[in-house]
Each structure stands twice: as structure tokens, then as C-alpha cells.
Amino acid sequence: MNNLLPNDSSSVPESQEKSALFFIPSEDANISSLPLILYLVPVIGFFPSLWTLYRRRGSREQLNVSRLSITLALTWLLGYILLGTGAATGEFFSLRLLLLNSFLTSGYFLVSAWLIVRTVQGKSNRLAGFSRFANRVTNKYLS
């Protein structure tokens, strides 16, 4: 078999050495984005996120995404229950509350889809203000 790498590093020009460094994966590349995507799936991702936080194992990014996913899901569920209860008990505002309920549900699914797309692209998974709130709440009640 042919050996493609030279034995003597002095025979490799410096420009090729520098370009070869771009192909060496960093430590962050070892973290797969598949668990992060699973955590961000609406409603279903709540359970693996909760399991990850319960075990307290995973990378810092996995724990942050788990906190965000749990907080998003619980916020949506609380709003869904409150708006649905208000629509069922009230007569005058029932249609308006049901419309708000559908906007809340659509917003939750769209934010989750947007975060999944950002994860696939390798961008940040944080929501301004909400990620900090998620970290504070879960650290307070799960620690």
C-alpha cells in the first residue's frame, strides 16, 4: 500500500502544513448534534432532555439545550392549559382565547424548528433572555 504521508516533515512545504491543520477536528467537533436535535423536537424532546438533566451527564452544551427544551415545553404546556381552561369556562372570550392558544402552539413549534435548523448549521442554540431564564429556573429547582 502506498503511504501518502511523507516520513520526513522537512519535505512538506509550510503552506501545506498550515492548510492541513484545517482538516484536524477540534474538540467541539466530537460533540454530535444529533442529541441536541432530539432535545429540541417539540413535546417529544422534553423526555430525553429531562433524562439528561436527571443524570447530570453530558456536555455543557447538551445540558444548556436540555434546560432550554424543558423550559420551552413547560411554558407552552402551562399556557396551553390556562388558555384552554379559560376558553372552556368563559363564553365571551372563548374564541379569542382559542385563537391565542393556537398562536402559542404555533410559536412553540416554530421556535423549536428554528432552533433545530440553527443546531444543524452549527450556530448558537440560545434564545435571548429565555436561555438565561431557563438556566436560572432549572438550577433553582433541579439542584
Side-chain angles (χ1 to χ4, degrees):
M1 227 198 251
N2 292 337
N3 189 359
L4 298 177
L5 296 174
N7 292 335
D8 185 18
S9 62
S10 63
S11 64
V12 178
E14 189 174 325
S15 62
Q16 284 183 354
E17 267 184 41
K18 288 181 182 177
S19 65
L21 292 178
F22 293 116
F23 297 110
I24 298 173
S26 66
E27 292 178 17
D28 296 336
N30 293 336
I31 300 172
S32 174
S33 64
L34 187 63
L36 300 178
I37 292 170
L38 180 65
Y39 299 153
L40 292 171
V41 172
V43 181
I44 296 169
F46 173 82
F47 300 105
S49 296
L50 191 63
W51 182 250
T52 299
L53 284 181
Y54 174 73
R55 289 184 315 149
R56 294 184 184 180
R57 292 196 180 135
S59 69
R60 172 183 251 162
E61 187 177 14
Q62 286 176 335
L63 294 174
N64 285 337
V65 171
S66 294
R67 289 183 190 110
L68 179 63
S69 172
I70 288 171
T71 308
L72 277 173
L74 290 178
T75 303
W76 167 77
L77 185 63
L78 180 66
Y80 184 83
I81 289 171
L82 289 175
L83 288 171
T85 303
T89 58
E91 294 179 13
F92 181 67
F93 290 115
S94 63
L95 183 62
R96 291 182 177 121
L97 291 176
L98 287 174
L99 187 63
L100 279 174
N101 198 353
S102 67
F103 285 152
L104 178 70
T105 301
S106 298
Y108 170 56
F109 277 74
L110 285 174
V111 166
S112 295
W114 178 68
L115 286 170
I116 289 171
V117 168
R118 288 185 58 87
T119 301
V120 169
Q121 292 175 347
K123 295 182 180 176
S124 175
N125 303 357
R126 299 186 54 81
L127 291 174
F130 202 78
S131 293
R132 189 180 330 168
F133 172 72
N135 286 334
R136 254 189 299 147
V137 168
T138 54
N139 285 338
K140 182 177 181 181
Y141 293 109
L142 292 179
S143 295

